[in-house]
Amino acid sequence: MQNIPIEQINANDRKFCISYPLKDGVLLSSINKIGVIQPLLVLGRRPYIVVSGFRRLEAAQELGFTDIPCIVVDMDEKKAMLSSIHSNLGRTLNIIEKAYCVDKMFTMGFSREEISDVMGIISLGFHEKIIKRMRDLANADDAVKDFVVKKNLNMQNVESLLRFANYEISGIIDALSTIHTTESMLREILRMLSILKLKNGDIDFSIIKGVDNQYDLKKRLKCSINPILSELEEDLNEIKEKCALPPEIDIKVDPFFEKEYIDMHIRANNPEDVGRALLKINSILDAGYIRSIFGLTTY
Amino acid sequence: MGLQLIDFVEARGNIVRNCPGTKHHICCGYKTIDLVEGCILSCSYCILKGYINTPNIRINSDMPYILSQIKGFIDTEKTHILRFGTGELSDSLAIDRRYRLNRPLIEFFGETKRAILELKSKWAQIEHLIPYLNPYTVISFSLAPQRIIDKEEKRTSPLYKRLRAAKKAQDCGCFVGLHFDPVIIYDGFEKDYEYLIGDIGRIIDLKRVLWVSLGLLRFPPRLFERFLEENRKNLLYGEFVRGEDGKYRYIKKERVKIYKMLYSLLKEQENDLFIYLCMERKEVWRGAIGTTPEDNEALMGFFDSRVKTLYGGTL
């Protein structure tokens, strides 16, 4: 191990880099406190080329270090690539980092068996579709990669996102970046956007401009994709509002208005509660509201 | 799509079985003969893509075994006139000219005279069967506007050939069946169906149509993803919801409207047509046709009456 001046390292040569993003706040503050403990692995040619330790180098540069501990090795490119991948296996790789592993191995001409082995180690199935998605992701814009990492997108959501054209992906990222979305909600939203695109040939982003939260976004998309269902839901809400049901009574209708029956729930602590609930139900029955609800599911 | 291999396998287990139908929907008590599993026609919406995990075609070649199973069903049925079909896991005619699979079945039903065999297809080649056809075999065609055939049923026979083949089967003394299934909602589909039904009325003798089924597009969730991936605009044009059986269907309000439209177009052509809905809810039957069989058993009764009306005492 030796301390090497950072200026002698070509920090821009990232052919072995699988780390994304390179900036890491926790690592930065750790290195700021106690310096670089684990040396970088660099190829012994001039300037030095980093095999592993890109994030440490980034942090050291940001902190103004002039030199950094390194182990100088002499190995061919493929071995260096494998060393880079294996030296990162101690932590959980995000999906971009996995994509880099796959893409760089292909670029460097690894055999399918070698790639398949590594994909198995990083929990990726060796399948043409997955390989294509991973390579697309590795070569996507940084904005896309940042979004994927920030939202911790799973494979399915990445696939759905990359199916859109670049300008659409930008629109989607703009709309989704500012709101919190769960993984399942994101899946649903991407799916709805795909349907919208398929139906209209394009996505009208004005319908999702300025959304407040994930539920608002979903509601707006639903109105476009499921106008009949949305209208039925609105009608149901209107009827329920007119019914002015107390919290102890609820009327449940199949969310897709498929089932012909409705469920009525009464919460009661004593016979008097039941009596009051029945009186209320009778009154909404007399007012025709129950019939109106059935009218939403029967024709 | 890659090469499809044909495997001849010895029949095992239940090759003849009750059509699985679908939960919470009215089904017609059809019996399926899984003579062939898999299909060369490869229609884009085909539900087999969601169920059969090999592109290959399997032919159950042990005909005596299959016939004994059919006989078993017929012998134990005391109430209804059984209807059997080979079109559940495959197209009944697509590979028949080459492999001659249907002839022994046609002859068996012709000799037995106690049940009906339905050969359901989108492949209009029946010439090789003509010498063997008898009234106990119903030749049925799935029908769709040519626009859908061009886009979603690319390897199948064009509409005019299917209609011509149906007419030929009628001319040979057979009854025919017509299946509007799947009916697909797309931009302008109403007009296309109006023309389609008009064409049918001009070409086929509607008095000799044993049954007509209507079934709007439905499919399991995994096909939804496939349609999205393949940009199947026609297939995802309508408004879908998940049915009680987990499958995607058009929203009920739309289904009722479309069934009503098709029902009245067909009845305008021939008021005596026997029209049934495939895998639909009672409420949809009631909304579309004005009446509903109370249960599967009742629908089988409707079929019995229809068959008796057309066959008289011969069944």
Side-chain angles (χ1 to χ4, degrees), chain A residues 299, chain B residues 252-260 283-284 287-288:
Chain A
Y299 303 98
Chain B
K252 194 162 78 177
K253 196 173 178 182
E254 280 292 276
R255 300 209 303 277
V256 170
K257 196 173 97 185
I258 293 159
Y259 283 133
K260 227 180 201 170
E283 196 51 44
V284 175

Side-chain angles (χ1 to χ4, degrees), chain B residues 35-49:
Chain B
L35 181 64
V36 182
E37 293 172 30
C39 186
I40 59 165
L41 299 180
S42 197
C43 300
S44 63
Y45 51 74
C46 182
I47 210 159
L48 291 178
K49 288 178 181 175

Side-chain angles (χ1 to χ4, degrees), chain B residues 242-290:
Chain B
R242 287 286 283 277
E244 247 185 304
D245 56 0
K247 285 181 192 160
Y248 279 98
R249 294 157 186 273
Y250 295 120
I251 193 162
K252 194 162 78 177
K253 196 173 178 182
E254 280 292 276
R255 300 209 303 277
V256 170
K257 196 173 97 185
I258 293 159
Y259 283 133
K260 227 180 201 170
M261 174 194 87
L262 295 172
Y263 186 81
S264 85
L265 284 172
L266 286 160
K267 285 287 184 178
E268 273 169 29
Q269 293 284 331
E270 172 53 60
N271 195 43
D272 288 338
L273 279 176
F274 172 67
I275 302 167
Y276 68 99
L277 306 185
C278 190
M279 296 187 200
E280 266 303 352
R281 305 178 73 84
K282 268 191 220 174
E283 196 51 44
V284 175
W285 273 84
R286 201 173 284 126
I289 292 179

Side-chain angles (χ1 to χ4, degrees), chain A residues 82 85-86 89 93 97-106 110-135 155:
Chain A
L82 284 178
I85 292 169
H86 282 270
L89 292 181
L93 299 183
E97 293 172 326
K98 291 179 179 183
Y100 277 159
C101 291
V102 175
D103 184 57
K104 294 195 173 191
M105 287 185 81
F106 259 94
F110 279 84
S111 70
R112 293 178 74 80
E113 289 72 28
E114 287 169 318
I115 296 168
S116 166
D117 281 350
V118 168
M119 286 180 77
I121 293 168
I122 59 177
S123 309
L124 289 177
F126 187 72
H127 189 281
E128 290 306 326
K129 204 167 120 184
I130 294 175
I131 292 167
K132 187 183 178 314
R133 285 290 173 236
M134 288 285 110
R135 299 200 71 188
M155 188 66 167

Side-chain angles (χ1 to χ4, degrees), chain A residues 258 260, chain B residues 17-30 32 47 51 87-89 120 179-181 212-220 243-250 252 255 259 275-285 289 292-293 296 299 303:
Chain A
E258 272 288 296
E260 292 75 26
Chain B
R17 57 192 173 86
N18 292 314
C19 174
T22 196
K23 267 188 268 174
H24 310 291
H25 295 74
I26 295 197
C27 294
C28 68
Y30 201 65
T32 66
I47 210 159
Y51 291 122
E88 173 80 3
L89 296 183
K120 200 190 285 185
H179 298 285
F180 295 87
D181 195 351
V212 178
S213 77
L214 303 178
L216 280 151
L217 180 65
R218 56 215 175 270
F219 49 84
E244 247 185 304
D245 56 0
K247 285 181 192 160
Y248 279 98
R249 294 157 186 273
Y250 295 120
K252 194 162 78 177
R255 300 209 303 277
Y259 283 133
I275 302 167
Y276 68 99
L277 306 185
C278 190
M279 296 187 200
E280 266 303 352
R281 305 178 73 84
K282 268 191 220 174
E283 196 51 44
V284 175
W285 273 84
I289 292 179
T292 177
N296 297 355
L299 180 55
F303 273 95

